[in-house]
Amino acid sequence: MEFLISIYERWREIPRWQKWLTITSIAVVLFLTLYFLRIVPLSEQLLADKKKLEHLRLTVNRLKVIERKKNKLEKEINNLKRELESIEEKLPTGKEEVSRIIRSISEADDGITVVSIKRGSPISKEYYVEVPYSIELKSTYPQFVRWCEKLSKSDRIINFGNLPIRAIRSENYTISVSLQIKAFNLKR
């Protein structure tokens, strides 16, 4: 307590201008201490937060652009899926039996006689199954051409393979055909 009293007495003896200078110096030191201890770190933190905020804004803007592109692509994918489904509906299901189709076309045309239809072993491919058939027919050439046209218009994807044609002499027929065809079924 005596220490404080001695300081007070010395303070009273100092001239007034020195008191103001001392108070001003102490205020400046306190202000600078407060500035460097509190305000500078806060301003650095504020600057770092502003940079982080700007980075987040850029990220949000990029994500919005990506989301718009994603929505556009999803719409395009959905349209393509609908288009694919409509195309798949037109493709043969594989339920149509080729031998039945061949016999029905032959029966509709009196000039064709199916001697035999032999189905081969199915061959599995990546997207479809290939089923080979060996067919023997007797007919006249013009009737055979019409029969081929009708077969090509059936609801099946059919490829003609080997087509050896032999001339024969008969009352109703002029050719004998050993036809190799391949029918295709889409894998679902």
Side-chain angles (χ1 to χ4, degrees):
M1 186 75 145
E2 287 179 24
F3 178 72
L4 291 176
I5 292 173
S6 69
I7 290 177
Y8 179 70
E9 287 176 1
R10 279 192 207 157
W11 182 257
R12 285 185 68 188
E13 295 172 3
I14 297 176
R16 189 176 206 161
W17 66 272
Q18 287 180 345
K19 287 180 186 177
W20 281 109
L21 186 63
T22 305
I23 291 172
T24 305
S25 300
I26 291 172
V28 167
V29 168
L30 285 175
F31 175 76
L32 290 175
T33 304
L34 177 68
Y35 181 78
F36 285 108
L37 290 178
R38 284 299 280 163
I39 295 176
V40 168
L42 286 175
S43 66
E44 289 174 355
Q45 180 67 34
L46 181 63
L47 184 62
D49 288 345
K50 283 182 180 179
K51 286 181 181 178
K52 189 176 181 181
L53 179 66
E54 187 61 31
H55 178 69
L56 289 173
R57 279 186 186 147
L58 289 173
T59 303
V60 166
N61 287 338
R62 280 190 218 122
L63 289 174
K64 285 180 181 178
V65 168
I66 290 170
E67 183 179 14
R68 278 188 238 123
K69 287 181 181 178
K70 178 187 162 236
N71 292 337
K72 183 179 177 184
L73 286 174
E74 283 177 347
K75 286 179 185 176
E76 190 173 331
I77 287 170
N78 288 335
N79 289 339
L80 290 173
K81 280 182 182 179
R82 281 191 295 265
E83 187 177 329
L84 182 62
E85 287 171 359
S86 69
I87 290 171
E88 281 182 349
E89 287 175 3
K90 295 176 185 175
L91 290 175
T93 62
K95 294 178 183 173
E96 305 87 5
E97 183 57 42
V98 173
S99 59
R100 234 184 262 149
I101 293 171
I102 292 169
R103 290 193 191 282
S104 69
I105 292 172
S106 301
E107 289 170 3
D109 196 351
D110 290 334
I112 300 283
T113 300
V114 178
V115 177
S116 70
I117 299 175
K118 294 178 185 170
R119 181 179 176 174
S121 300
I123 302 166
S124 183
K125 302 288 183 169
E126 187 174 354
Y127 299 108
Y128 60 92
V129 176
E130 181 180 298
V131 183
Y133 288 87
S134 296
I135 305 165
E136 288 187 41
L137 302 171
K138 289 185 180 179
S139 172
T140 62
Y141 187 78
Q143 289 169 334
F144 175 69
V145 171
R146 281 194 301 272
W147 182 86
C148 289
E149 287 176 3
K150 290 178 185 177
L151 184 61
S152 69
K153 293 177 184 175
S154 67
D155 290 338
R156 288 298 301 261
I157 298 174
I158 297 174
N159 283 352
F160 286 78
N162 291 337
L163 186 68
I165 300 176
R166 247 181 339 118
I168 59 171
R169 296 203 180 239
S170 168
E171 288 182 23
N172 299 328
Y173 310 114
T174 58
I175 60 171
S176 173
V177 180
S178 296
L179 176 64
Q180 303 293 319
I181 65 170
K182 291 178 184 175
F184 299 92
N185 300 330
L186 181 66
K187 284 185 180 178
R188 295 192 193 261

